[in-house]
Amino acid sequence: MKLTNPEEINQMLYPAAELVQYVEHLNDLQASDADFYREQGYLAARTGLSEQTVENAKQAIREMLEARRVRSREDFEALMLTKRVVPLTEAEESKKVQLPSVQITRSEEQVSLSSEQYELATRKIGDFVNYDQRFYDIAHDPAILKAVELALGEPGKLVQDMALLKPPQGGGEKPWHQDMAYRGLDFEKAIVGVWIALDEAGVDNGCMHIIPRSHMRGGVPHYAVRDWQICDENVEVDRAYVAPLQPGGMLFFHGLLHHGTPSNFSSKKRRALQFHYAPASAEWVTPKEYKRMFTNEMSGAKC
């Protein structure tokens, strides 16, 4: 039976679960924690960003959304180019550079929405790091990069940046999946995701659920159901842990770790930043290898 009701999905796929293990602060991570990461597939820090840095990030989100709300896409992109933190290289100037994008869930004319309505309708902002110093500083924070290197075993390179907004009273589920099953994150070496809470992320408003050690299975087939996801019947819900975080808290997780976030039926916002870093030496997998790892094309299995 395919699940379609969001409340039933929350109950069936995201039940109350055991808490992940934490270090108190990002700076408390030690070299020995690399073993825990390799075995469990995650590291969690109760605190990583200061209150001011969190507020700066939320303000940067509001400002970028307002700039997009009142402009056409072309005018918004032209404005963003004037705000670029890192100058374009000659190679980037000769091709279409990746500019910030805003994914909105409502179909009305965006300018007719108030600033608050527009934010509540926004699901995701992508590719923004190079267009606001506040975002750039977080993505390149020395403590974060040190933890990334601890997880990867070598220095990392930033390959994706997103702000994930889960509004109150119905902010949608992100079904169980592996990040490396998404094209653009399919490297030959495992990547690491860094998920940073900007609001309190609790079990009532869409915090991260993970299945420790699931990364050891390698890539598993994904299906286009509610999203690009692991089949609901294949999610080992009884092995799931929850990772609630206060603002500024962080979760580092292996690119093959099974994870998802339920719908937010609370009255609270749940905004987060997510960065992905690949090993500096990593190359893309081949299309054939991607199909073998993450699709059912080889097996013919159904969801």
Side-chain angles (χ1 to χ4, degrees), residues 46-108:
R46 294 187 188 279
T47 306
L49 298 185
S50 69
E51 289 185 17
Q52 187 60 59
T53 301
V54 169
E55 288 305 313
N56 290 345
K58 290 192 286 191
Q59 181 61 28
I61 288 174
R62 286 190 290 266
E63 291 175 10
M64 188 165 286
L65 289 180
E66 182 63 9
R68 178 67 182 94
R69 183 181 74 89
V70 299
R71 289 173 174 81
S72 67
R73 178 177 177 178
E74 293 75 16
D75 288 347
F76 172 70
E77 290 182 348
L79 174 66
M80 289 297 103
L81 281 174
T82 69
K83 294 179 175 292
R84 188 172 168 91
V85 175
V86 181
L88 293 173
T89 65
E90 289 185 11
E92 288 172 329
E93 287 180 343
S94 65
K95 64 181 181 180
K96 185 173 176 60
V97 67
Q98 195 70 44
L99 288 160
S101 62
V102 176
Q103 183 184 105
I104 187 168
T105 59
R106 290 171 61 170
S107 59
E108 297 97 327

Side-chain angles (χ1 to χ4, degrees), residues 36 101-102 115 117 125 134 141 151 155 160 168 205 209 222 234:
F36 182 89
S101 62
V102 176
S115 299
Q117 288 172 329
I125 309 171
R134 291 163 290 190
D141 181 281
Q160 187 184 65
N205 71 332
H209 291 233
H222 283 58
N234 296 336

Side-chain angles (χ1 to χ4, degrees), residues 28-292:
D28 294 334
L29 288 173
Q30 305 293 323
S32 58
D33 290 311
D35 292 333
F36 182 89
Y37 178 84
R38 283 191 291 270
E39 294 169 3
Q40 301 297 322
Y42 77 91
L43 294 168
R46 294 187 188 279
T47 306
L49 298 185
S50 69
E51 289 185 17
Q52 187 60 59
T53 301
V54 169
E55 288 305 313
N56 290 345
K58 290 192 286 191
Q59 181 61 28
I61 288 174
R62 286 190 290 266
E63 291 175 10
M64 188 165 286
L65 289 180
E66 182 63 9
R68 178 67 182 94
R69 183 181 74 89
V70 299
R71 289 173 174 81
S72 67
R73 178 177 177 178
E74 293 75 16
D75 288 347
F76 172 70
E77 290 182 348
L79 174 66
M80 289 297 103
L81 281 174
T82 69
K83 294 179 175 292
R84 188 172 168 91
V85 175
V86 181
L88 293 173
T89 65
E90 289 185 11
E92 288 172 329
E93 287 180 343
S94 65
K95 64 181 181 180
K96 185 173 176 60
V97 67
Q98 195 70 44
L99 288 160
S101 62
V102 176
Q103 183 184 105
I104 187 168
T105 59
R106 290 171 61 170
S107 59
E108 297 97 327
E109 282 294 319
Q110 62 193 41
V111 74
S112 69
L113 302 176
S114 68
S115 299
E116 179 67 9
Q117 288 172 329
Y118 190 72
E119 180 181 328
L120 292 176
T122 299
R123 172 69 181 88
K124 182 190 301 181
I125 309 171
D127 302 303
F128 52 75
V129 156
N130 289 327
Y131 299 92
D132 190 294
Q133 189 69 50
R134 291 163 290 190
F135 292 137
Y136 184 90
D137 289 346
I138 295 172
H140 297 87
D141 181 281
I144 292 178
L145 295 182
K146 181 179 178 181
V148 165
E149 184 171 354
L150 178 74
L152 295 178
E154 64 176 281
K157 55 185 177 184
L158 182 67
V159 293
Q160 187 184 65
D161 55 281
M162 298 184 291
L164 304 173
L165 283 62
K166 198 182 287 284
Q169 266 112 45
E173 173 209 19
K174 180 65 177 179
W176 287 91
H177 64 283
Q178 297 172 300
D179 284 348
M180 290 174 68
Y182 284 81
R183 300 314 299 265
L185 297 178
D186 48 332
F187 287 88
E188 62 179 4
K189 295 182 178 180
I191 65 171
V192 60
V194 184
W195 200 94
I196 305 172
L198 299 181
D199 301 302
E200 179 184 358
V203 294
D204 62 337
N205 71 332
C207 75
M208 189 77 80
H209 291 233
I210 68 170
I211 299 178
R213 300 179 65 84
S214 56
H215 64 299
M216 291 187 172
R217 298 186 175 184
V220 301
H222 283 58
Y223 301 83
V225 185
R226 297 183 301 281
D227 201 323
W228 187 236
Q229 63 176 89
I230 299 170
C231 186
D232 292 335
E233 295 179 358
N234 296 336
V235 178
E236 297 178 296
V237 176
D238 59 338
R239 294 184 54 225
Y241 281 51
V242 290
L245 294 169
Q246 292 296 316
M250 298 182 183
L251 180 71
F252 295 76
F253 59 99
H254 192 284
L256 294 176
L257 192 75
H258 299 195
H259 64 286
T261 62
S263 296
N264 176 15
F265 294 117
S266 78
S267 60
K268 301 181 293 185
K269 294 180 179 180
R270 197 237 61 189
R271 292 165 289 184
L273 299 179
Q274 182 167 287
F275 304 122
H276 284 107
Y277 300 85
S281 64
E283 302 289 341
W284 306 106
V285 300
T286 65
K288 182 177 180 180
E289 179 66 5
Y290 174 84
K291 288 180 180 180
R292 185 193 69 78

